[in-house]
Amino acid sequence: MLKYIAKRLLIMAVTLWVIVTLTFILMVTIPGSPLNSERNTNETVQANLEAHYNLDEPYYVQYFLYIKSIVTFDFGPSIKQPNQTVNELLGRGFPISFELGIITIVVALLSGIILGILAALRHNGIIDYLAISLAVLGISIPNFVLATLLIQKLAVDWNILPPATWSSPAHMILPVIALATGPMAIIARLTRSTMLEVLTQDYIKMARAKGLSPWKIVIKHALRNALMPVVTIMGTLLAGILTGTFVIEKIFAIPGMGRYFVESINQRDYPVIMGTTVFYSGFLIFMLFLVDIIYGILDPRIKLHKKGGA
């Protein structure tokens, strides 16, 4: 296990390095400079600003400076907000984005699993058809379109919920619904299909023959095996939720990392772009690693073998 973890950590480091390198190449190949929008005709001041942010250095020097900032986790000041460091922006925005992501994951998991179980237990019934229809709609409608519809109907037309910001539990409902609907639909469909398969297994038939109640059979015997495919796709769902927060935070004016990331791209704020990219990529890679570990814990049949072993 330790050898496997060490190997995975090495792969994670290489993956992060590739992401950082590609991000840097994309930044420097785009024509222009983040200081082009500065309304300052003084060439001396312009040169001093470029020297301050190392923009006058060759690309390879800038690249190694970025690698150094990543190793020391010190991304320096923002170009567009010189009174704020990138670390301060991350420290202020990440807790909000993390809260949004965690609530979304919990809502998507609970609602998707419950909906999938109900659909499987009421196979070819009204609940099953409703669950399938809801899942199809959830997968078909992009989260930014759903967010716009929710704001228009529930906030503007009916005035039931607040339309934006992140200052109270009521403000969390619309962005969480918009972000969790897609993953919830995927989890519901997957849970339904795997649950239908598990319920036909011999050990489930034995449990029924013993007179156990349907819900006890589901919770105690079937659910663990039925959730294995859900755990498998959790890495992909986490990626979708984390990247989806960028757009949702912008739509609902949530002061999370997504807002800083979008603004940094529009303003070509290199330190913020690199800081948010590295932070999000590292966090996502680590979460994928945890998903693999959890999958092995849930399924004891998965063992690590030496190369060439059976």
Side-chain angles (χ1 to χ4, degrees), residues 195-212 214 216-223 225:
M195 182 63 71
L196 287 174
E197 181 180 352
V198 169
L199 290 176
T200 62
Q201 300 297 317
D202 291 338
Y203 70 94
I204 298 296
K205 296 178 181 178
M206 179 65 68
R208 287 172 176 165
K210 291 180 179 180
L212 297 179
K216 190 172 183 179
I217 293 175
V218 169
I219 301 300
K220 188 175 180 180
H221 298 281
L223 185 59
N225 290 331

Side-chain angles (χ1 to χ4, degrees), residues 106-168:
V106 172
V107 171
L109 277 174
L110 292 179
S111 58
I113 292 173
I114 293 174
L115 193 61
I117 292 175
L118 291 175
L121 293 179
R122 300 293 184 267
H123 183 48
N124 289 333
I126 296 178
I127 296 179
D128 188 18
Y129 294 141
L130 289 176
I132 294 176
S133 301
L134 182 60
V136 171
L137 287 175
I139 296 174
S140 303
I141 303 176
N143 55 24
F144 60 89
V145 174
L146 181 59
T148 305
L149 294 175
L150 290 174
I151 292 175
Q152 180 63 40
K153 292 299 181 181
L154 298 181
V156 178
D157 294 344
W158 300 339
N159 196 26
I160 298 175
L161 294 169
T165 70
W166 189 259
S167 56
S168 71

Side-chain angles (χ1 to χ4, degrees), residues 45 56 76 113-114 116 125 146-147 212 219 237 240-241 252 268 306:
V45 174
D56 59 339
I113 292 173
I114 293 174
L146 181 59
L212 297 179
I219 301 300
L237 293 181
I241 291 173
F252 288 96
R268 299 193 61 176
K306 292 183 180 180

